Amino acid sequence: MSDIKQKEPWFSAKNLKLLTEPIDAKNPITVLVLGICSALAVTVKLKPALVMAISVTVVTAFSNLIISMMRNSIPNRIRIIVQLVIIAALVILVDEILKAYVYDVSKQLSVFVGLIITNCIIMGRLEAFALGNKPWPSFLDGIGNGVGYGLILVVVAFFRELLGSGTIWGYRIIPESIYVKSGGFYENNGMMILPPMALILVGVIIWIQRSRNKSLIEE
Amino acid sequence: MGILDNFKKMDRNSNLYTFLYASGMVILVAALLAIAATSLKPAQQKNKETEKKIDILKSFGKAEGADKAANKHQFVEEAFKKYIAEQIVVNSKGDKVEGLEAFKVDLKAELAKPLEQRNLPIFKAQLDDQSIKYIIPVRGRGLWGPIWGYIALNDDMNTIFGATFAHQGETPGLGAEINTVEFQQQFIGKSIFDNNNKFVSVSVVKGGADKSNPHAVDAISGGTITSVGLQEMVYDCLENYQSFFNKQKNIGHE
């Protein structure tokens, strides 16, 4: 047990950085290119994308916290298995809670909630951060990464829902009257609904981000 | 001085420590998940039941407002009580089976049995204008997983009053279109028996069905396998009820 009290304030500059860095310069999707698979799968509509973002944030934050608290006792040889058990348990909990309280959304997310277990971001943060840092910074790091991931998901879902279905959050934005079937000229972009378009949108986001932040460009 | 202290003093790299650690963790996690699963079960069950009731209500167009209702469960419960006049279970010969509640019959399990042993659920609904509709549950296979639905028939046991379909994981924008209103509306007014009273069901036609054809609807472009699955589902499931339909018709004529 360490006798030294944590003198650092809870939200010191260093800790805040853990929270904000993954949103831009160390974004898990656009910079580290982790967690792409779920970014393709759940971003057709805004609502499931947001729920997915929240679920992943909860799982990264708490798995980081738990693993960090256990870090000195985990036998090194089975640490990956220990991490997996913790992640899997948290994901099952999230899935059960979604099923009980937001059934419609849980139906839309179907298998993807279970697949949070395989989301590389979570395992990546546990290995890279939680195993070597105290619980509180680990928790912040988990939240930061979850939010960074979620932000990209929400942006992609916004454009895919608007252009692919003409709605936002299920509400109609593009008026029914300008559609071809009611005599107008407009047609939803069917490509937006399919996974490749998510990849293209993520590519566009990476392009914009790198053109604004030159330090991200490799030599 | 307890077991825990001894445990803490152990060599972190010894086999025994690893074993103890792993077993302890697994037991803890298992207990935690078991508690969560049991305590959330009632809410999950309720959601499933409400969803099934919404699907049934939808087939005769009485589910509107369920999503906007402040208390969805209560709204659905009341609508279900109001409109569903009787729940019937019949066998393949069209005779009533006593002692079973149609709502609780698991169609998936019944369809796996041989035809003679199946218990077939029917929901008899009475609408505001006192007309009687018979709602037949259907279940089949799409491209990626199960698809199911409810078909409401008029009391002539022939004309479709409404239909609703749902799916587990058909491709969004393609096969998943079966649960859109546009697709389902096509079934309204179609008939499942031809002029010679032969069971023909409703087929899902690729490339566009003739509007005047009473036994066909348009397939979904790009969703061929789901469309074919849906056609087979409607045929296979309604076929089970043939004797029941014929009996009901004869009662009507007497």
Side-chain angles (χ1 to χ4, degrees):
Chain A
M1 282 284 126
S2 62
D3 298 323
I4 316 149
K5 283 238 169 72
Q6 206 175 358
K7 293 220 178 63
E8 227 182 322
W10 283 51
F11 288 100
S12 65
K14 207 174 106 211
N15 281 348
L16 272 184
K17 212 173 160 196
L18 289 175
L19 210 52
T20 52
E21 247 188 351
I23 292 173
D24 185 23
K26 280 190 186 164
N27 190 289
I29 294 187
T30 60
V31 180
L32 308 178
V33 199
L34 294 174
I36 290 288
C37 356
S38 54
L40 307 189
V42 298
T43 51
V44 176
K45 293 271 164 69
L46 202 52
K47 200 171 175 187
L50 191 74
V51 174
M52 184 71 171
I54 295 170
S55 313
V56 169
T57 308
V58 168
V59 174
T60 38
F62 284 97
S63 59
N64 258 10
L65 180 73
I66 294 170
I67 288 292
S68 173
M69 288 196 303
M70 295 164 62
R71 71 186 188 282
N72 294 325
S73 72
I74 297 175
N76 198 35
R77 272 183 293 177
I78 57 163
R79 67 169 200 287
I80 301 275
I81 300 173
V82 173
Q83 291 168 12
L84 262 182
V85 170
I86 301 291
I87 300 171
L90 281 170
V91 167
I92 294 170
L93 273 182
V94 168
D95 193 26
E96 295 278 321
I97 291 171
L98 289 181
K99 262 191 208 142
Y101 297 110
V102 268
Y103 186 68
D104 294 342
V105 180
S106 115
K107 238 184 10 181
Q108 277 176 38
L109 290 174
S110 62
V111 297
F112 296 111
V113 177
L115 288 179
I116 297 177
I117 299 171
T118 61
N119 194 320
C120 338
I121 298 171
I122 301 171
M123 210 63 171
R125 291 328 290 169
L126 292 181
E127 276 285 295
F129 199 90
L131 276 178
N133 286 285
K134 287 193 178 142
W136 176 244
S138 301
F139 185 69
L140 290 181
D141 181 79
I143 291 189
N145 275 285
V147 171
Y149 164 84
L151 185 73
I152 304 295
L153 238 65
V154 167
V155 172
V156 172
F158 176 85
F159 287 108
R160 284 183 78 187
E161 187 173 350
L162 180 65
L163 300 174
S165 319
T167 56
I168 293 291
W169 201 264
Y171 293 103
R172 184 139 292 283
I173 298 296
I174 296 168
E176 203 80 62
S177 56
I178 65 165
Y179 277 91
V180 172
K181 63 180 177 217
S182 47
F185 58 90
Y186 188 78
E187 189 81 73
N188 281 329
N189 188 342
M191 180 89 171
M192 279 288 169
I193 293 172
L194 299 173
M197 208 56 208
L199 205 57
I200 294 172
L201 281 174
V202 171
V204 172
I205 295 173
I206 294 179
W207 174 28
I208 295 171
Q209 192 189 12
R210 290 192 175 209
S211 67
R212 291 182 57 231
N213 189 346
K214 295 277 192 257
S215 65
L216 291 177
I217 301 171
E218 295 89 352
E219 292 292 311
Chain B
M1 281 295 131
I3 302 167
L4 208 64
D5 284 329
N6 286 334
F7 183 66
K8 273 182 187 160
K9 275 188 221 126
M10 278 177 80
D11 176 11
R12 293 279 139 90
N13 287 318
S14 72
N15 285 344
L16 185 63
Y17 180 81
T18 310
F19 270 118
L20 288 176
Y21 195 93
S23 339
M25 179 183 66
V26 169
I27 291 167
L28 258 174
V29 168
L32 184 78
L33 290 182
I35 292 168
T38 359
S39 56
L40 292 172
K41 188 119 206 187
Q44 294 173 355
Q45 206 63 39
K46 185 93 193 142
N47 282 329
K48 282 210 182 103
E49 271 175 27
T50 301
E51 190 198 21
K52 189 172 172 184
K53 283 181 180 164
I54 290 180
D55 277 347
I56 294 172
L57 291 171
K58 231 188 232 169
S59 67
F60 52 91
K62 290 294 174 198
E64 288 134 29
D67 283 327
K68 288 184 190 82
N71 187 338
K72 195 165 153 186
H73 295 306
Q74 198 191 345
F75 179 93
V76 171
E77 198 72 40
E78 276 166 13
F80 196 78
K81 250 192 211 137
K82 183 175 165 199
Y83 291 114
I84 301 295
E86 197 185 351
Q87 301 190 20
I88 313 163
V89 178
V90 297
N91 59 21
S92 59
K93 295 190 196 77
D95 299 322
K96 271 189 196 176
V97 180
E98 299 298 332
L100 282 171
E101 196 186 334
F103 190 75
K104 298 231 170 87
V105 173
D106 179 6
L107 195 60
K108 186 183 173 190
E110 297 301 330
L111 291 178
K113 292 181 190 169
L115 179 66
E116 298 76 37
Q117 294 169 20
R118 287 181 193 164
N119 295 316
L120 305 161
I122 300 162
F123 302 92
K124 192 172 162 190
Q126 186 168 29
L127 302 194
D128 298 324
D129 58 1
Q130 305 303 314
S131 62
I132 300 286
K133 312 290 171 203
Y134 290 89
I135 294 116
I136 314 291
V138 292
R139 189 182 167 95
R141 213 177 295 130
L143 172 58
W144 303 114
I147 53 177
W148 60 92
Y150 295 89
I151 294 178
L153 295 175
N154 282 341
D155 54 3
D156 64 355
M157 293 293 163
N158 183 15
T159 327
I160 295 178
F161 178 72
T164 172
F165 303 106
H167 63 95
Q168 190 179 61
E170 299 306 299
T171 322
L174 304 174
E177 296 289 300
I178 59 167
N179 73 359
T180 58
V181 179
E182 287 81 15
F183 180 75
Q184 292 166 9
Q185 265 174 354
Q186 296 188 79
F187 282 84
I188 296 173
K190 302 287 174 190
S191 40
I192 56 172
F193 286 92
D194 68 6
N195 294 335
N196 302 322
N197 203 14
K198 191 174 159 285
F199 178 69
V200 288
S201 182
V202 176
S203 30
V204 183
V205 180
K206 219 175 147 181
D210 192 347
K211 282 240 159 35
S212 58
N213 185 343
H215 307 297
V217 295
D218 271 352
I220 300 149
S221 43
T224 308
I225 297 176
T226 313
S227 302
V228 171
L230 189 124
Q231 170 180 323
E232 278 169 7
M233 164 175 90
V234 172
Y235 188 94
D236 292 347
C237 289
L238 290 181
E239 196 188 19
N240 292 335
Y241 292 87
Q242 259 197 84
S243 337
F244 174 78
F245 294 157
N246 287 329
K247 273 190 184 165
Q248 288 291 320
K249 278 185 205 168
N250 292 336
I251 293 169
H253 286 305
E254 273 161 18

